Amino acid sequence: MALWSWWLSSFALAAVPIAHWLFLNRAVAVSGRYSALIDRIRFGAPRDGSGEMDQAALLEALRAQTAADFGDDAIEETEPSGESVDETIVRSPQGSIAHLLFLAGLALGGAASAMLAGSFSLRGGLNGDVFASVVGQLGIPAPVLLLFGGLCVGFGTRMAAGCTSGHGLCGVSQFQTGSLVATAAFFGAGVGTSFALGALQ
Amino acid sequence: MYTLLKLSGTLKAWQSRYCCADYKECARFKLSADNRRVPINLMPNGAYLRSNDKP
């Protein structure tokens, strides 16, 4: 299988979050879209109306609510600091169709790339000779292993509040400490697993 | 929500009532502990901020 050169892969990866931001004005978050879809299925569409409000409206409503609960004295004078609420958290969430289109695009893009490289094939087994040979000795069916792996990924991404796209592509590019730590953990675990598999083979 | 509270000058009131005292009664904490999305406009007391809110 022919692999892209490292520099071409780097540019392609960097183009993904940049294009996503330019076209949608949102950070890329694959696991976030999965989570949003699951939340929509579990709890229905959000009815909180947060997407209808801008920062000024939120601040005004917040002061009114505070005065009602604690009295006017609870509100302190503030000086303009130039600080603002992250635009992404006051914007209305995207609908399920947008999430589904994005996730379908991932699958179609991967399939198109494999087809162009002439390596497209559908198979139910494990990909990777070393991994298959090591875990094959355990006698566990491949679909069970894949399901277990998927559950581990889902658990980890919810626990870390993001996956390789959110932390690795977007968080790291913004020098966010949590994303730097999370990405180091992703790749560190990958390298460690690779060495462990090599030793077990 | 933290930034909103800070910018609006209401942080101390909510912190002393919920964060530093009855945090288990905080509506935001409850949702988060239940692994559910916490809306930006959900107040610790369970009320939703809306642009036409009146005291």
Side-chain angles (χ1 to χ4, degrees), chain A residues 55-69 71-72 75-76 78, chain B residues 4-10 14 43 49 55:
Chain A
Q55 178 174 315
L58 281 168
L59 290 175
E60 186 183 346
L62 180 52
R63 291 191 185 102
Q65 185 70 47
T66 305
D69 275 32
D72 291 334
I75 303 173
E76 299 177 321
T78 56
Chain B
L4 275 177
L5 292 169
K6 187 177 159 191
L7 290 175
S8 64
T10 63
W14 295 100
M43 300 295 299
L49 291 177

Side-chain angles (χ1 to χ4, degrees), chain B residues 30-50:
Chain B
K30 288 179 184 175
L31 272 187
S32 179
D34 197 27
N35 205 25
R36 296 176 63 175
R37 187 180 73 89
V38 183
I40 175 62
N41 60 338
L42 175 63
M43 300 295 299
N45 63 1
Y48 284 97
L49 291 177
R50 298 186 193 285

Side-chain angles (χ1 to χ4, degrees), chain A residues 29-200:
Chain A
V30 177
S31 62
R33 289 187 181 274
Y34 275 113
S35 302
L37 270 177
I38 298 300
D39 283 347
R40 188 64 63 90
I41 293 169
R42 288 178 67 196
F43 308 117
R47 296 183 179 84
D48 49 56
S50 56
E52 302 162 8
M53 304 175 70
D54 59 15
Q55 178 174 315
L58 281 168
L59 290 175
E60 186 183 346
L62 180 52
R63 291 191 185 102
Q65 185 70 47
T66 305
D69 275 32
F70 300 99
D72 291 334
D73 293 341
I75 303 173
E76 299 177 321
E77 291 292 327
T78 56
E79 295 179 3
S81 64
E83 193 175 4
S84 62
V85 178
D86 186 350
E87 189 186 353
T88 57
I89 60 176
V90 295
R91 198 183 309 132
S92 76
Q94 287 188 304
S96 301
I97 299 297
H99 297 317
L100 286 171
L101 283 174
F102 180 88
L103 297 173
L106 288 181
L108 290 175
S113 175
M115 284 176 183
L116 288 173
S119 58
F120 181 80
S121 66
L122 288 176
R123 52 184 169 178
L126 298 168
N127 198 4
D129 296 336
V130 176
F131 186 74
S133 70
V134 172
V135 299
Q137 299 166 12
L138 302 174
I140 302 173
V144 175
L145 276 173
L146 290 171
L147 180 63
F148 177 72
L151 289 173
C152 288
V153 170
F155 179 79
T157 52
R158 288 309 291 260
M159 186 172 65
C163 59
T164 45
S165 59
H167 282 309
L169 291 178
C170 296
V172 167
S173 63
Q174 298 172 51
F175 298 107
Q176 292 184 10
T177 307
S179 294
L180 290 167
V181 172
T183 306
F186 299 152
F187 283 97
V191 170
T193 303
S194 179
F195 277 115
L197 287 173
L200 289 171

